[in-house]
């Protein structure tokens, strides 16, 4: 296993960091409070080439390998304080661009990928329903074939990017009797008749990333909008989750690195009882634990990237990476608040925002409990 980074990857990582520091951090405190999506930042990410990072150049992307994607997301997480913008960007790439790239027809790739890569179109995916979250394959949204069309009916919840999306990958059952093998995926333009998207839901964290409900009422989509074969929905979902569990969580790793830097600086600067608080072992131990979590999260995330880059599946390893990184992110965010004392609880310092932003990481892309179930099942339990 070789985790060394090429000079080209190093330069790209540095360029991403510089770009994010200069362009993506305006008014984050206010936008978080007012739940405002950064359209300007989004367009700049498109111009920089981040929105189609793994997409081949022929479809308008950068053709970046997965290790480069992980490094870029880590760098973004470290340099960009707007975790909501990064969450929107990650949903767009891993749950819309990647499935089109991996499972789409040539026509679907040409139709969608150039616009998604430039950012002129925004994508997302909708699996979760009011009564089907962790039990994703219990979805009740149906797609019934009617000649050259499918008719979609059902309700999706918690869909990232839904209020701003132009296209959503919708999962629906085409054959209830087959359970997970009867689930199919459809690319549905949000302008289409029969699909309506709710207002952004108010969230604890990631407040600059719009999340919403999607309602399908006799929404007719042409057969050509089905992604992959009928019944391929669960394979598509699993494949995109492997990407998301490595690349999205690499941006969380980057956030943890920024958090650590801030905590080290604060522990050196803040004086109590005539010395810097970093001299108290209770504080320095927290900082040491934050560093350990970062190193271990980085190792497992890089391992997943290395495996996928070498053509291997990484279902077990991506579950471990997702579980460990999200739990670490929340614990380190709690520690950061504690290290900052009262200042850590004040909105203007951003420390409490990191904690709020981290919370949902234990829930999306499969909860921590579900990751543990997956890991145990790989061990035959
Ligand atoms: C910010 C955010 C963004 C999201 N974006 C998207 C998106 O873009 N598209 C999308 O489709 N979904 C999205 N989701 C939904 C997310 O995938 C679900 O919330 C998640 O899968 C959990 O489902 P649930 O909320 O229904 O919780 P439930 O499944 O009801 O779980 C409730 C609790 O029970 C536990 N539990 C459930 N089953 C088991 C079990 N078998 N063993 C042990 N414990 C169990 C869970 O771990 C959890 O602690 C998003 C969620 C959030 C918070």
């Amino acid at each position: 296993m070789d985790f060394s980074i090429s000079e080209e990857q190093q330069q790209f990582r540095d360029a991403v960091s510089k770009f994010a520091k200069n362009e993506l951090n305006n008014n984050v405190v206010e936008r978080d409070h007012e739940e405002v999506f950064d359209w300007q930042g989004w367009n700049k990410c498109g111009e920089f080439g981040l929105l189609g990072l793994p997409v081949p150049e022929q479809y308008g992307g950068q053709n970046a390998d997965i290790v480069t994607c992980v490094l870029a997301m880590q760098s973004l997480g470290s340099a960009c304080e707007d975790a909501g913008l990064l969450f929107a960007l990650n949903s767009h790439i891993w749950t819309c661009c990647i499935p089109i790239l991996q499972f789409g027809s040539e026509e679907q790739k040409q139709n969608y990928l150039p616009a998604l890569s430039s950012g002129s179109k925004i994508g997302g995916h909708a699996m979760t329903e009011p009564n089907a979250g962790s039990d994703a394959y219990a979805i009740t949204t149906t797609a019934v074939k009617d000649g050259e069309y499918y008719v979609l009916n059902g309700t999706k919840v918690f869909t990232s990017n839904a209020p701003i999306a132009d296209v959503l990958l919708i999962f629906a059952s085409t054959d209830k009797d087959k359970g997970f093998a009867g689930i199919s995926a459809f690319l549905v333009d949000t302008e289409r008749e029969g699909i309506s998207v709710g207002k952004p839901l108010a969230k604890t964290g990631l407040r600059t990333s719009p999340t919403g409900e999607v309602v399908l009422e006799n929404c007719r989509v042409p057969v050509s909008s089905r992604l992959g074969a009928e019944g391929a929905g669960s394979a598509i979902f699993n494949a995109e989750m492997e990407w998301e569990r490595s690349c999205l969580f690499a941006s969380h790793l980057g956030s943890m690195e920024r958090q650590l830097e801030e905590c080290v600086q604060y522990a050196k600067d803040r004086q109590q009882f005539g010395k810097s608080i970093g001299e108290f072992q209770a504080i320095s131990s927290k900082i040491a634990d934050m560093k350990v979590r970062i190193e271990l999260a980085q190792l497992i995330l890089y391992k997943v990237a290395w495996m996928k880059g070498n053509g291997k599946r990484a279902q077990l390893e991506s579950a471990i990476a997702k579980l460990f990184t999200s739990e670490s992110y929340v614990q380190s965010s709690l520690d950061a608040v504690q290290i900052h004392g009262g200042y850590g609880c004040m909105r203007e310092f951003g420390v409490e925002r990191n904690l709020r932003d981290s919370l949902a990481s234990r829930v999306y892309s499969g909860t921590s409990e579900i990751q543990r179930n997956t890991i145990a099942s790989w061990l035959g339990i």
Side-chain angles (χ1 to χ4, degrees):
M1 222 175 286
D2 179 5
F3 290 160
S4 58
I5 294 169
S6 71
E7 209 172 307
E8 203 184 336
Q9 284 170 328
Q10 177 78 50
Q11 279 169 3
F12 186 62
R13 189 171 72 171
D14 294 347
V16 170
S17 173
K18 195 170 163 199
F19 159 75
K21 272 189 187 137
N22 289 340
E23 308 287 353
L24 305 180
N25 288 333
N26 292 330
N27 307 323
V28 183
V29 174
E30 292 77 13
R31 283 191 287 101
D32 168 68
H33 183 51
E34 288 158 22
E35 303 184 304
V36 175
F37 177 67
D38 184 5
W39 284 100
Q40 219 178 6
W42 178 266
N43 292 332
K44 285 179 179 168
C45 288
E47 284 161 22
F48 191 87
L50 290 169
L51 300 176
L53 201 50
V55 174
E57 284 159 11
Q58 70 191 100
Y59 305 116
Q62 300 293 309
N63 204 24
D65 59 87
I66 184 165
V67 172
T68 305
C69 289
V70 161
L71 292 171
M73 292 305 127
Q74 183 179 358
S75 191
L76 269 181
S78 164
C80 172
E81 293 167 24
D82 184 350
L85 177 67
L86 298 190
F87 188 69
L89 172 148
N90 275 284
S91 301
H92 169 90
I93 304 175
W94 319 118
T95 71
C96 195
C97 296
I98 282 289
I100 296 174
L101 190 57
Q102 286 193 319
F103 297 92
S105 64
E106 190 51 38
E107 192 191 344
Q108 287 168 332
K109 289 180 193 173
Q110 285 181 7
N111 265 351
Y112 288 107
L113 291 177
L116 290 169
S117 297
S118 72
S120 62
K121 277 191 197 297
I122 299 184
H125 85 154
M127 172 66 101
T128 308
E129 297 183 358
N131 293 313
S134 299
D135 192 6
Y137 299 139
I139 57 171
T140 56
T141 294
T142 51
V144 177
K145 201 143 179 223
D146 180 18
E148 284 306 294
Y149 288 84
Y150 283 94
V151 183
L152 272 64
N153 278 290
T155 299
K156 300 290 182 181
V157 290
F158 307 151
T159 308
S160 300
N161 291 350
I164 52 170
D166 300 282
V167 55
L168 290 170
L169 183 61
I170 308 258
F171 293 88
S173 172
T174 40
D175 188 341
K176 250 189 156 59
D177 296 339
K178 289 190 181 161
F180 77 91
I183 291 173
S184 305
F186 299 88
L187 287 164
V188 184
D189 295 333
T190 52
E191 279 183 348
R192 189 167 273 280
E193 205 177 315
I195 179 167
S196 55
V197 168
K199 288 198 182 115
L201 300 164
K203 301 195 293 296
T204 327
L206 302 173
R207 288 161 58 86
T208 59
S209 148
T211 307
E213 187 182 71
V214 179
V215 177
L216 299 143
E217 281 174 308
N218 295 322
C219 179
R220 289 173 78 79
V221 298
V223 168
S224 62
S225 67
R226 194 187 65 225
L227 191 72
E230 221 179 71
S234 55
I236 294 172
F237 185 70
N238 285 334
E240 64 178 70
M241 282 299 110
E242 253 185 63
W243 278 87
E244 183 169 274
R245 284 173 194 157
S246 37
C247 297
L248 164 61
F249 288 79
S251 72
H252 299 339
L253 169 64
S255 304
M256 286 160 63
E257 289 176 318
R258 174 166 38 83
Q259 219 170 33
L260 177 61
E261 260 178 48
E262 289 165 2
C263 286
V264 167
Q265 195 57 54
Y266 191 79
K268 284 181 183 167
D269 294 345
R270 176 71 175 166
Q271 300 274 319
Q272 290 292 286
F273 300 96
K275 47 171 104 163
S276 62
I277 59 167
E279 288 181 53
F280 303 123
Q281 207 173 9
I283 297 296
S284 62
S285 293
K286 279 190 184 42
I287 287 177
D289 286 349
M290 289 170 86
K291 176 65 177 164
V292 171
R293 287 183 208 113
I294 287 170
E295 285 298 314
L296 295 181
Q298 177 163 285
L299 273 180
I300 185 68
L301 285 166
Y302 284 11
K303 181 178 176 186
V304 172
W306 178 86
M307 288 178 77
K308 288 182 70 65
N310 282 278
K312 300 173 197 293
R313 290 297 303 267
Q315 288 157 290
L316 169 63
E317 292 76 8
S318 61
I320 295 172
K322 197 270 156 179
L323 173 65
F324 186 76
T325 310
S326 61
E327 292 290 340
S328 297
Y329 187 24
V330 174
Q331 186 56 55
S332 290
S333 301
L334 275 167
D335 287 348
V337 170
Q338 198 65 19
I339 289 166
H340 283 79
Y343 298 97
C345 303
M346 301 298 141
R347 204 161 62 199
E348 66 174 292
F349 294 97
V351 184
E352 59 80 45
R353 188 183 65 248
N354 285 338
L355 174 59
R356 288 190 283 104
D357 287 338
S358 73
L359 282 178
S361 70
R362 300 194 303 183
V363 174
Y364 52 67
S365 307
T367 65
S368 291
E369 291 78 5
I370 294 298
Q371 301 314 310
R372 287 191 172 94
N373 291 354
T374 303
I375 294 162
S377 77
W378 273 90
L379 301 174
I381 297 168

